[in-house]
């Protein structure tokens, strides 16, 4: 992730050097170069106001005088110099904190989004590479096995020859357990830790040598160059996971669009149903009024004398 950012880091370094020479030119006589560079770093990269006030006239409220009894930057008592350093510091901090640092964060975020789909593939490749390396590595150093093979030993004879090397350590562990342990017990009946550690150490070495001897094969002795042939698809693309992620994102976007369209259609149908219900209600009221009028007219006719 550092390679794509080299240009940005180089530009930030150039800007820092430019501001560094600017403030070194206007520093107080009793301040060292290291003092100016450290406070400038704190002001630009850490947005520390104390660092900015220590090398410029930013302390217009004389807070340092109230806290320490003296100003960290005086500018030789020149008001123009104090104003110039204040303007330069405002421009420098604004350029770094608002522009360069935010651009750096944005570039890192974009690069992370590009590499995130390939992270699983990279992890699997790294794990496979390490696993193959450990599986194909011989149990003993290759130079030692090459010397055994050059001496004319077969795999079986080499196993016996290496196993003999474990015999001294095994005998030493027996010597510690059956000879040194009783003698040490007679000297100190409460402490058995030292002899136990020594016996366990010798026995462990003998077992490790025996295990390595049993793993010797003919392929470790003849010094032939063997290769692990790996087949893979010729049409495979490293952007496969990225394409899948793009397709998944597109599918999610289409699903959201379909949900919005369905929601809008449901709202439209609900409004249409509400309008039809209102029309039916109005029509029902009109029919009721017409029915009442007809009934009143019938009653009026029935009341007229024949």
């Amino acid at each position: 992730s550092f390679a794509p950012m080299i240009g940005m880091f180089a530009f930030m370094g150039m800007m820092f050097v430019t501001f560094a020479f600017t403030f070194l030119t206007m520093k107080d006589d009793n301040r060292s170069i290291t003092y100016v560079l450290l406070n400038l770093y704190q002001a630009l990269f850490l947005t520390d106001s104390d660092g900015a006030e220590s090398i410029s006239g930013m302390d217009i409220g004389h807070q340092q005088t109230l806290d320490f009894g003296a100003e960290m930057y005086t500018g030789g008592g020149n008001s123009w110099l104090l104003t110039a350093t204040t303007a330069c510091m405002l421009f420098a901090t604004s350029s770094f904190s608002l522009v360069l640092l935010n651009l750096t964060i944005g570039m890192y975020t974009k690069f992370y989004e590009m590499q995130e789909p390939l992270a699983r593939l990279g992890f699997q490749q790294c794990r496979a590479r390490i696993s193959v390396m450990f599986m194909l590595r011989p149990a003993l150093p290759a130079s030692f096995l090459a010397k055994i093979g050059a001496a004319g030993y077969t795999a079986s004879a080499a196993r016996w020859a290496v196993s003999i090397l474990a015999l001294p350590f095994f005998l030493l562990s027996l010597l510690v357990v059956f000879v040194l342990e009783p003698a040490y017990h007679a000297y100190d009946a409460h402490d058995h830790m030292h002899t136990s550690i020594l016996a366990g150490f010798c026995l462990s070495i003998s077992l490790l040598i025996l295990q390595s001897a049993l793993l010797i094969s003919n392929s470790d002795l003849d010094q032939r160059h063997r290769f692990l042939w790996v087949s893979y698809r010729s049409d495979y693309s490293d952007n496969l996971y990225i394409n899948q992620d793009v397709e998944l994102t597109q599918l999610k976007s289409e699903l959201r669009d379909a949900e919005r369209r369905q929601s809008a259609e449901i709202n439209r149908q609900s409004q249409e149903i509400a309008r039809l219900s209102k029309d039916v209600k109005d029509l029902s009221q009109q029919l009721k009024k017409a029915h009442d009028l007809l009934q009143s007219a019938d009653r009026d006719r029935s009341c007229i004398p024949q």
Side-chain angles (χ1 to χ4, degrees):
S1 61
F2 181 77
M5 303 293 296
I6 292 179
M8 189 64 185
F9 289 151
F11 180 71
M12 293 177 66
M14 293 170 57
M15 293 290 292
F16 180 81
V17 171
T18 302
F19 290 124
F21 279 114
T22 301
F23 286 100
L24 286 174
T25 303
M26 296 184 291
K27 72 180 183 67
D28 289 336
D29 295 334
N30 59 342
R31 299 301 183 186
S32 64
I33 297 176
T34 304
Y35 173 84
V36 175
L37 294 179
L38 287 178
N39 282 280
L40 182 62
Y41 174 82
Q42 292 179 354
L44 297 185
F45 289 93
L46 305 180
T47 62
D48 184 13
S49 60
D50 293 335
E53 294 172 355
S54 298
I55 57 175
S56 68
M58 290 283 290
D59 189 17
I60 59 176
H62 303 288
Q63 183 178 356
Q64 293 177 347
T65 303
L66 297 176
D67 294 338
F68 310 114
E71 287 291 325
M72 306 301 292
Y73 179 78
T74 60
N78 191 332
S79 60
W80 290 99
L81 192 59
L82 293 174
T83 304
T85 54
T86 302
C88 290
M89 181 57 69
L90 288 174
F91 177 73
T93 52
S94 300
S95 300
F96 265 79
S97 61
L98 298 180
V99 180
L100 297 180
L101 293 181
N102 286 330
L103 282 176
T104 303
I105 295 173
M107 293 176 66
Y108 263 115
T109 303
K110 182 63 177 178
F111 185 76
Y112 172 78
E113 293 176 353
M114 294 173 57
Q115 293 298 320
E116 183 182 10
L118 298 176
R120 183 175 58 181
L121 176 62
F123 170 73
Q124 292 175 352
Q125 290 178 344
C126 182
R127 182 178 60 182
R129 188 183 303 112
I130 295 175
S131 299
V132 170
M133 180 186 67
F134 279 103
M135 287 189 296
L136 298 182
R137 188 177 64 179
L140 294 173
S143 58
F144 178 73
L145 295 175
K147 292 180 181 179
I148 295 178
Y153 285 90
T154 62
S156 178
R159 295 191 191 100
W160 283 106
V162 176
S163 299
I164 293 175
L165 298 178
L167 185 61
F169 294 96
F170 180 71
L171 295 177
L172 183 59
S173 64
L174 294 179
L175 178 64
V176 171
V177 172
F178 294 104
V179 178
L180 296 181
E181 173 68 19
Y184 193 79
H185 181 70
Y187 175 75
D188 188 357
H190 300 286
D191 191 0
H192 303 275
M193 183 62 66
H194 298 84
T195 56
S196 300
I197 292 176
L198 181 59
F201 179 74
C202 296
L203 184 60
S204 300
I205 293 178
S206 64
L207 292 177
L208 289 175
I209 295 176
L210 183 61
Q211 180 184 8
S212 301
L214 294 175
L215 294 175
I216 295 177
S217 62
N218 290 323
S219 60
D220 299 330
L221 302 176
D222 54 11
Q223 292 184 320
R224 293 180 181 178
H225 296 288
R226 291 176 170 82
F227 301 92
L228 177 65
W229 296 97
V230 180
S231 301
Y232 66 96
R233 294 183 52 162
S234 59
D235 59 346
Y236 177 76
S237 174
D238 290 336
N239 297 325
L240 176 64
Y241 288 89
I242 295 181
N243 294 334
Q244 288 180 354
D245 186 70
V246 172
E247 293 176 358
L248 183 60
T249 303
Q250 185 178 1
L251 182 60
K252 290 181 179 179
S253 178
E254 293 177 357
L255 182 60
R256 286 193 295 267
D257 293 339
E259 290 178 352
R260 284 195 294 267
R261 289 195 299 269
Q262 185 179 8
S263 178
E265 182 66 21
I266 291 174
N267 292 333
R268 188 187 65 80
Q269 292 179 358
S270 299
Q271 294 175 0
E272 184 68 19
I273 292 173
R275 186 183 63 80
L276 292 175
S277 299
K278 185 177 181 298
D279 293 342
V280 170
K281 186 177 180 180
D282 294 340
L283 182 60
S284 176
Q285 291 178 355
Q286 292 176 2
L287 290 174
K288 186 177 180 181
K289 290 179 180 179
H291 182 266
D292 294 339
L293 290 174
L294 290 174
Q295 286 183 347
S296 63
D298 291 339
R299 285 195 300 268
D300 292 340
R301 283 197 300 266
S302 63
C303 294
I304 296 175
Q306 299 294 330

